[in-house]
Structures are given as C-alpha cells and as structure tokens.
C-alpha cells in the first residue's frame, strides 16, 4: 500500500454556540482536511485546525507545510513501513505540529486499514467506549450557570468550565455554576493561561475555601512559565493540569521531572499526532502521571483519532473530546459514534471513515 498523493481540503461547520475562552472567541470549525491516497485505492483521512493562539498554526501555514515540505518526503513510501514514514514526517520541518498531526492521523488510518483492524486495537485495545466532558464557554455567571444546567440535562456528568478572564468574577462564575448543578457533577476549570501565578493561587484558594469542589485546574498560567506553573501546583490543593505548556514528549518529561503539574493534557494537534502522543503516554506511565486527552475546535475526523488513542491507553483517565458535539452538523460518515457524553468506537478498519461530505479539495 504505497502513498501516491496527498490532497488538501477545507471543512467549515458552524458551532451550536460561540466558543469563548480567555484566549479567543470562535463561531465555526474551519479546518484543513487531509486525504492520503494510495496505489491500492485505500484512502486515509486527517484534519488540522488553525488554532493560531495556541499552536501558532494558521490555515495557510498548515497547507504550506504539507504541500511544500511534508508531501515530497513521504509520497512513494509504503504504509507497511510506518516507522520510516514517521521519521521522515518529523524531519520534514520543525514545529508545525497541527500539519504533522493531520498527516500522522491519515497515515494511522491507513495503517489500520492495511492490517484490517480498528486502530485502537492495534494501539492497545484497552476499551471501546469512553465518556467525555463538555465545555462551558466563559460568559457572565448567570449565562454560564444556565449553560451548565442545560449540559447536565443532556446527561453530562463532568463540565469543563472556561475561566481566566477576571479572577474575582471567575470565583462568582464557579459559585453560580455549583449552585445551579449541585454536588453530583464534576467541575473542572480551564484558565487558558489567563492568570498570573500569585493570582492563580489566590483564586484557587478562594475556590477551595468556598467548598466549590473543583476536580482540577487546567493551564492557570502562561504556557512558557514552567516555574510559575510549579509554584501554583505547590501552593494549592486543587490538582493542576498542564495543557498549553506541553506540546512534545520532551515538554511532558520536563514538566513531570520538575513536578510542575499533577496531570498532563495530550492533544494530537500539540504533539504532532499519534506517534508522539504515544511517547507522552509512555513517559506518563513511567512517571505515574495520569493524562487527559483533549482537542481543539475539531470535527469528527481528528477527534475520532484521539478517541482511538484514548480507548487504547489506560494512562488516559480524563476525556475532553467534545469538538464534534459542539458542532451544529456532522458531515463525516463513519468514525467514532458521538452520543453526547458517550463515545463509542466501531470495529471498522483504521479510523472507520466511509465518507466526508462537504469538503472542497
Ligand atoms: C474544545 C476543548 N474542549 C477545549 O476546550 N480545548 C481548548 C482549546 C480549544 C481552542 O481554543 O480551540 C483547551 O483545552 O484549551
Ligand atoms: Mg485547555
């Protein structure tokens, strides 16, 4: 099964509601779709979102990285030699983790098809069903309480609340949400780098004193501030999860060595795909650090790949794969089945896609 061409397309899906974080507001998924075509007629799909504020990747840069750099290094190679392809993919250019992830996902899709097995089974086959949280955008406390209650009524047992816009208002936001949903719902918070270290310690201690029962806090401080992240981790009881601070396996090892965070968020778009994400899993197992798997604003193509990884690996104990349920429509036939909080894999080969509608190549 040899790679003969890589085609690039664009997928555009309006979100059900605006997605608002401390870093940005987004109204639709606008992602690059990668289609790898082989000499046997098998096709592999991947996807990359232009999350410029986190990865630095724009639509043009993702397309340019694949078209001008990656393509020439991997066209002609045999999917059976995945290791060789991954080495060439990694060496084709530095950074550009989202472009690499999209290609890596399409390659793993083909690798599964080559071996006529669903990817999660090839990677470990730990389970075939996982439960995701859902994200509540940062707004005023009343609106967030209402959105949280709506999510609970849809059956979600874990909510990921966006904060980091204003520390004192963030405390009010969490008080309003806890009051609305009660204590049987897990609340995790994501500040998306919005606080300074001392501000984070102040805010999180206030939340502890108010008995808000926060499961963990994601990326309280700036991505590059590993010392600040460690200061927060050392000074609050709420567990701290590193997100934007961890892109590569090297970042993950550094954070774990420093004990700068209690948990690590793996995202395929930061790691550069499944190949590197597996290395983060191995490091996390070695250090005894549990992982979350997350996503950017992605449709079912790339999130299905993340589901396969999560289903394969027991070190991934927390799931934030709500991209597809935030979308107002699903143009992807096949792949993982998203039924609100419940995500189930089929045993179709690879990632199990049948068709992706509405993509302009
Ligand atoms: C969509 C997911 N639940 C999420 O919240 N991801 C964000 C970044 C998403 C973005 O801005 O595209 C995160 O965990 O920081
Ligand atoms: Mg995050």
């Amino acid at each position: 099964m040899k790679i003969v061409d890589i085609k690039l397309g664009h997928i555009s899906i309006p979100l059900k509601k605006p997605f608002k974080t401390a870093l940005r507001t987004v109204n639709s998924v606008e992602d690059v779709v990668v289609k790898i075509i082989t000499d046997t007629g098998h096709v592999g799909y991947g996807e990359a979102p232009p999350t410029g504020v986190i990865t630095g990747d724009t639509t043009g840069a993702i397309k340019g990285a694949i078209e001008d750099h990656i393509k020439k290094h991997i066209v002609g190679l045999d999917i059976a030699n995945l290791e060789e392809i991954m080495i060439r993919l990694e060496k084709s250019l530095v950074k550009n983790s989202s472009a690499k992830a999209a290609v890596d996902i399409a390659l793993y899709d083909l690798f599964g098809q080559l071996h006529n097995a669903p990817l999660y089974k090839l990677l470990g086959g730990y389970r075939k069903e996982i439960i995701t949280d859902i994200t509540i955008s940062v707004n005023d406390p009343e609106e967030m309480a209402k959105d949280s209650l709506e999510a609970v009524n849809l059956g979600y047992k874990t909510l990921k609340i966006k904060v980091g816009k204003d520390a004192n208002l963030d405390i009010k936001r969490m008080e309003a949400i806890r009051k609305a949903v009660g204590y049987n719902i897990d609340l995790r918070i994501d500040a998306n780098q919005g606080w300074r270290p001392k501000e984070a310690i102040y805010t999180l201690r206030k939340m502890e004193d108010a008995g808000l029962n926060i499961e963990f806090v994601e990326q309280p401080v700036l991505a590059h501030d590993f010392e600040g992240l460690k200061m927060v981790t050392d000074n609050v009881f709420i567990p701290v999860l590193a997100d934007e601070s961890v892109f590569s396996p090297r970042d993950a090892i550094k954070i774990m060595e420093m004990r700068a965070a209690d948990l690590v968020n793996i995202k395929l778009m930061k790691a550069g795909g499944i190949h590197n994400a597996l290395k983060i899993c191995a490091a996390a197992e070695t250090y005894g650090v549990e992982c979350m798997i997350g996503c950017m604003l992605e449709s079912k193509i790339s999130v299905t790949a993340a589901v396969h990884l999560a289903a394969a690996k027991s070190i991934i104990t927390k799931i934030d794969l709500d991209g597809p349920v935030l979308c107002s429509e699903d143009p992807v036939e096949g792949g993982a089945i998203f039924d609100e909080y419940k995500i189930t894999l089929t045993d179709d080969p690879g990632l199990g896609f049948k068709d992706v509608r509405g993509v302009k190549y």
Side-chain angles (χ1 to χ4, degrees):
M1 190 187 282
K2 285 196 175 141
I3 302 169
V4 293
D5 199 8
I6 303 179
K7 290 199 182 305
L8 301 180
H10 184 87
I11 196 167
S12 176
I13 312 173
L15 296 176
K16 288 177 186 160
K17 301 181 181 176
F19 178 82
K20 296 186 193 174
T21 74
L23 290 172
R24 64 183 192 142
T25 297
V26 194
N27 293 301
S28 59
V29 164
E30 300 290 344
D31 291 0
V32 177
V33 173
V34 169
K35 193 171 166 181
I36 299 186
I37 296 157
T38 63
D39 61 351
T40 54
H42 292 84
V43 170
Y45 286 101
E47 174 186 359
T51 319
V53 289
I54 295 178
T55 58
D57 299 329
T58 62
T59 302
I62 293 165
K63 288 185 172 169
I66 298 171
E67 200 60 64
D68 303 338
H69 295 265
I70 295 172
K71 199 170 176 175
K72 62 181 173 228
H73 288 276
I74 67 169
V75 166
L77 299 184
D78 196 325
I79 295 295
N81 198 348
L82 191 67
E83 181 71 6
E84 175 69 25
I85 305 176
M86 289 300 166
I87 291 167
R88 292 194 189 202
L89 172 59
E90 192 59 44
K91 282 191 176 160
S92 60
L93 77 171
V94 299
K95 302 193 177 178
N96 289 279
S97 56
S98 306
K100 287 176 182 166
V103 173
D104 160 291
I105 289 167
L107 291 166
Y108 272 101
D109 185 12
L110 288 165
F111 189 67
Q113 294 176 51
L114 175 70
H115 294 287
N116 201 26
L119 186 62
Y120 80 97
K121 285 202 175 162
L122 293 178
L123 299 180
Y126 182 61
R127 57 197 154 180
K128 69 181 292 189
E129 187 184 298
I130 56 175
I131 304 292
T132 184
D133 63 15
I134 189 163
T135 306
I136 305 298
S137 286
V138 59
N139 280 302
D140 63 47
E142 296 71 35
E143 187 172 348
M144 292 177 78
K146 186 173 142 284
D147 288 347
S148 299
L149 207 49
E150 250 174 48
V152 168
N153 288 335
L154 287 170
Y156 289 92
K157 293 270 181 278
T158 304
L159 309 181
K160 166 161 147 163
I161 315 293
K162 292 292 186 180
V163 291
K165 289 277 269 191
D166 168 340
N168 284 315
L169 192 55
D170 286 336
I171 298 165
K172 292 198 173 71
R173 289 181 168 112
M174 294 314 298
E175 284 172 343
I177 293 168
R178 183 52 90 195
K179 194 163 165 226
V181 303
Y183 279 83
N184 287 332
I185 300 299
D186 287 329
L187 299 180
R188 44 185 71 161
I189 60 178
D190 187 356
N192 281 111
Q193 312 178 54
W195 298 324
R196 304 287 80 84
K198 284 186 181 171
E199 188 184 20
I201 294 166
Y202 164 86
T203 310
L204 294 167
R205 284 190 181 167
K206 286 267 182 201
M207 289 185 189
E208 286 171 358
D209 292 347
L212 289 171
N213 206 7
I214 307 297
E215 183 195 3
F216 61 79
V217 57
E218 193 171 328
Q219 199 64 44
V221 301
L222 291 172
H224 66 263
D225 188 6
F226 285 20
E227 297 292 342
L229 189 66
K230 179 169 171 54
M231 189 171 124
V232 179
T233 303
D234 287 345
N235 283 284
V236 299
F237 288 107
I238 296 171
V240 173
L241 177 143
D243 182 8
E244 289 96 317
S245 293
V246 174
F247 273 54
S248 63
R250 190 185 292 263
D251 296 335
I253 290 170
K254 185 154 186 210
I255 290 282
M256 293 177 206
E257 268 288 301
M258 284 177 67
R259 294 178 178 264
D262 303 288
L263 303 153
V264 162
N265 190 358
I266 301 173
K267 286 183 185 151
L268 298 182
M269 297 303 144
K270 296 184 295 162
I274 295 168
H275 191 68
N276 277 341
L278 287 167
K279 295 182 200 167
I280 299 179
C281 288
E285 282 161 11
T286 309
Y287 283 87
V289 171
E290 288 179 27
C291 296
M292 178 153 99
I293 186 139
C295 60
M296 304 293 187
L297 284 182
E298 300 164 45
S299 82
K300 213 170 78 178
I301 304 172
S302 48
V303 179
T304 289
V307 175
H308 277 266
L309 178 66
K313 291 287 160 194
S314 61
I315 197 72
I316 297 174
T317 57
K318 300 178 191 308
I319 315 287
D320 174 35
L321 295 178
D322 58 348
V325 296
L326 300 176
C327 291
S328 62
E329 52 200 61
D330 175 17
V332 183
E333 207 183 308
I337 300 160
F338 288 79
D339 182 9
E340 294 294 352
Y341 55 92
K342 194 163 91 176
I343 311 175
T344 315
L345 287 172
T346 69
D347 281 338
D348 291 331
L351 299 177
F353 301 124
K354 308 258 183 285
D355 193 17
V356 182
R357 293 181 303 274
V359 178
K360 295 187 197 89
Y361 292 99

